[in-house]
Amino acid sequence: GYIIRREVHKKLKTPCGEVSQDYDEKIAGQLLKEVNVDKLDEQLRHFSTAPHLAGQLLKEVNVDKLDEQLRHFSTAPHLAGMEEVGNMANEIVDMWTGWGLNTTVRSYNVLLSYPDRTNANKIFLMSGDAVTDTITPDDAQSPTDSTIPPYAAYSKSGTVTGKLIYVNFGRGPDFQYLAAQGVNLTGRVAIARLGQVYVGDKVRHAEMAGAAALLLYPDPEQYQPAGADRGWTLPEDGVFRGDSRVTYGDPLTPGYPALDGMFRLNESDADLPGILVQPISTADARKVLGVLDGTTAPSDWRGITQKINQSPESNKQVRVQVNNVLSIKPIKNVIASIPGAVEPDRYVVVGNHRDAWTYGGAQPATGTACLMELVRTVGLLLDKNWRPRRSIIFASWDAGEFGQIGSTEWVEENLKEIGEKAVAYLNLDGAVTGNYSFYAKASPLLQKVVWDASKTVRDPHGVFSVYDEWAERFPGGDNGQTTKVDLIGAGSDYAAFLLQAGVASMDFQYTLDPAYNVTFYPAYHTVYDTYDYVKTFVDPDLSYHRAVTQVLGNTLLRLSDSTLLPFTLSGYARMIEDFTNAAEASYKNKFKQQGLELKFSKVKIAAESFALAAALVETNAGQTDLSNPLEVRRINDKMMQVDRLFLTPAGVLGKPLYKHLLLSPSKNDCLQLEEGVCQYRGKTFPGLFGAMREVDSPGKWVLVEKELSIISIAVQSAAEFLKK
């Protein structure tokens, strides 16, 4: 392709300088005659990975190397914007370069948030105007511990004093219950237990309810579950750290990269919390909750408190003082590439963020270790003169903990190229947070490829494959004969790839037993999430790390080296069908009452049309002449575009960073809890689901009518695209 462009559109020297030559039919004809189909066929078949190469990659994954990387990347605290995480970037550059990869660093200047080390955040318990107790959240394990004090990034700074109100998990329904009981949060200090919903959702709900501050604590019911090893659970002095926003990316440059010279919002105009937020430990929460002596809480609200509020005669108050500071800091993404031998303009991207709130033992260092070992083993294939059919990009993201900033800025900088050329994005975050079963969430396009890859890897528990154990512990499908692959959306570094660029994405991990009914592993985002924690309680012999790396590696080879992309459109059609059926089951009568039956019928017709078109494409793909490079490319490009077909420029319900009509969160709120994991989408189209939740407000049915039109035209247009 490069030779054709160079010769057919070459520049000519003239007295006035260089000018571009128009298309020369004679030269083009000569070049086309030189194209040798037999040679192309030889290349196509040569660069499709033989099974022995995949087997070699699986065999080379080394638990000692994984252990070495896990220890190295979780020995010291490494918060984004700090010197340690920058030093890690330099080390990764050296290692990846040494393994034969072309490696570069891409930097951005982004807004980060830190506690003021000279002026600690504090909570004061008061009787009238007198301070009776002072709490300084701190979980340092020694005087030399360099971890940053516990805080909520991007919290508003200041001091507020008010009565205390317990809001359970801080979910939307929790605040609705309080409103129905006549509990007024205006100017109050709210306190919520962690879990079930993202911290940003708790903050947004508290702010919308009028609270002046929000305290967050780990309740023993979630962080010390019955039957669990005490060493695995969170000690009473453990304190969470985290991002308190509801969105992702750099706060000052939403939708475009945070490069030098770019326009930046004023901090006052950025989408940041408008209330004070501070996490505290279970031990400190017992003190704070002790001021409650009013209304008894519902039974399912009761953790370490039985009360919701203070009695009218109580003179006790809680004062919250937050002294966080905002600062623009440089962050570094490390990017390595392997050019494809046949289709260098098609990319498979694999990434993991390396920064952590503290030591990051399970999250993200387990993912970092797996990524590093995968790159090393791929380097061994390069030494044997192997090259993938398509290009591979490896990425170590920075500032992932602050809302996927590093990955988002890179996607935004390269949005046009990624949107045109990226085949898939494969993500690692907390790759080994448990040892119960392998688990993946993905775009429906990628379901089958991870099923097939997991069938090639031995289950660390025994003699069967990872797939067999996965199917047993997380069965999926109507007959339970496949494995459960949850739909992917927001929450890690795949967000910008999927939601802004429309790139099919997948996240890999070994997870914990859902019987514990916990949202995250107990040490999540605390100083107890260390190398020793992982080695002692999660994966002593690194066999789960090896299994994740092997499944990821096999998936990568299938995507980067198969002549035909191993995508499946039937899963996509099934998702649209499920969404349509769920909408009909939930809203049919309401649609009829509002005269929207005809508009919804168009959605049903479009869904049926898409299913037929998807089946046609899969049939044609199975009959493709693999010796015809143009036909191969046509089929691959058609399948590659499917997620992009559902991007809407304005975003779902007007949220510009959430453009995917099918896979965006419907609301930044937990809609239901499944096996202890919060699901951030309903069972139907996210925009429709969100609009239907607002119909009790005057004039909101017009949003439902609009969403039905958007959905029907998007699905029908996608079907027409696939048919052509």
Side-chain angles (χ1 to χ4, degrees), residues 169-170 193-195 197-206 214 216:
F169 287 107
R193 46 181 172 171
L194 290 161
V197 295
Y198 290 143
V199 166
D201 302 325
K202 301 173 190 284
V203 175
R204 181 170 61 93
H205 293 145
L214 175 66
L216 301 164

Side-chain angles (χ1 to χ4, degrees), residues 448-723:
K448 187 175 184 301
V449 68
V450 72
W451 286 339
D452 291 341
S454 65
K455 291 174 182 177
T456 68
V457 178
R458 181 174 172 175
D459 161 30
H461 286 145
V463 298
F464 300 107
S465 71
V466 166
Y467 178 87
D468 293 326
E469 179 195 52
W470 184 13
E472 177 185 341
R473 300 195 169 187
F474 290 107
D478 295 335
N479 55 9
Q481 296 303 303
T482 59
T483 67
K484 180 180 180 182
V485 180
D486 281 328
L487 295 178
I488 202 166
S492 191
D493 289 292
Y494 44 76
F497 283 92
L498 179 71
L499 303 179
Q500 291 195 62
V503 176
S505 301
M506 188 186 321
D507 186 77
F508 300 74
Q509 63 174 282
Y510 251 88
T511 190
L512 47 82
D513 189 343
Y516 287 127
N517 200 34
V518 297
T519 310
F520 305 106
Y521 62 98
Y524 179 70
H525 286 189
T526 72
V527 295
Y528 292 98
D529 189 5
T530 63
Y531 168 81
D532 288 336
Y533 179 85
V534 175
K535 286 281 288 185
T536 304
F537 302 110
V538 182
D539 193 10
D541 61 359
L542 279 294
S543 60
Y544 298 100
H545 285 72
R546 179 175 57 201
V548 170
T549 307
Q550 289 172 333
V551 174
L552 172 64
N554 195 284
T555 304
L556 172 62
L557 287 182
R558 290 168 186 269
L559 288 167
S560 64
D561 230 9
S562 298
T563 303
L564 277 179
L565 287 172
F567 288 165
T568 174
L569 298 187
S570 57
Y572 225 102
R574 196 176 307 114
M575 174 182 68
I576 294 173
E577 179 185 9
D578 289 345
F579 281 7
T580 304
N581 292 340
E584 183 167 35
S586 299
Y587 311 134
K588 182 178 180 179
N589 291 336
K590 292 183 178 180
F591 289 160
K592 185 176 181 179
Q593 293 168 7
Q594 297 295 321
L596 295 177
E597 287 177 295
L598 180 59
K599 277 194 166 49
F600 181 65
S601 70
K602 292 181 179 180
V603 174
K604 294 169 63 177
I605 292 169
E608 293 170 0
S609 181
F610 184 90
L612 291 172
L616 179 64
V617 172
E618 290 197 335
T619 299
N620 290 341
Q623 299 170 353
T624 301
D625 179 2
L626 299 185
S627 67
N628 185 335
L630 296 180
E631 182 66 11
V632 167
R633 179 78 163 204
R634 186 183 70 82
I635 291 291
N636 282 343
D637 282 359
K638 181 169 287 191
M639 294 191 294
M640 203 178 94
Q641 291 296 319
V642 171
D643 273 299
R644 294 156 171 89
L645 298 175
F646 294 99
L647 296 181
T648 180
V652 175
L653 292 180
K655 296 186 292 183
L657 297 184
Y658 298 87
K659 300 182 186 299
H660 204 299
L661 284 171
L662 304 181
L663 295 176
S664 293
S666 56
K667 283 282 185 180
N668 283 308
D669 189 14
C670 185
L671 302 176
Q672 61 272 324
L673 204 63
E674 292 182 3
E675 296 169 335
V677 178
C678 181
Q679 301 301 316
Y680 275 73
R681 62 173 53 79
K683 300 299 186 183
T684 187
F685 304 97
L688 177 62
F689 192 98
M692 287 299 296
R693 295 184 80 192
E694 306 292 333
V695 294
D696 291 336
S697 301
K700 294 297 184 180
W701 273 104
V702 67
L703 291 179
V704 175
E705 186 174 0
K706 180 181 178 181
E707 284 300 316
L708 289 173
S709 295
I710 291 172
I711 293 164
S712 64
I713 192 63
V715 176
Q716 188 61 50
S717 297
E720 295 302 321
F721 174 86
L722 294 178
K723 290 175 185 177

Side-chain angles (χ1 to χ4, degrees), residues 91-171:
E91 293 169 352
I92 291 172
V93 169
D94 291 341
M95 283 188 274
W96 287 2
T97 302
W99 293 332
L101 280 71
N102 178 27
T103 308
T104 61
V105 172
R106 190 58 174 142
S107 299
Y108 304 93
N109 295 309
V110 302
L111 185 70
L112 301 180
S113 168
Y114 305 99
D116 186 344
R117 286 183 177 270
T118 64
N119 191 10
N121 297 347
K122 295 181 180 180
I123 294 95
F124 303 92
L125 303 184
M126 307 181 70
S127 179
D129 293 329
V131 175
T132 59
D133 197 0
T134 300
I135 296 170
T136 303
D138 185 17
D139 55 4
Q141 300 302 291
S142 72
T144 60
D145 191 334
S146 61
T147 53
I148 205 155
Y151 77 114
Y154 301 110
S155 165
K156 182 180 178 180
S157 293
T159 302
V160 300
T161 305
K163 297 275 189 177
L164 187 71
I165 296 178
Y166 171 59
V167 297
N168 196 21
F169 287 107
R171 303 166 299 188

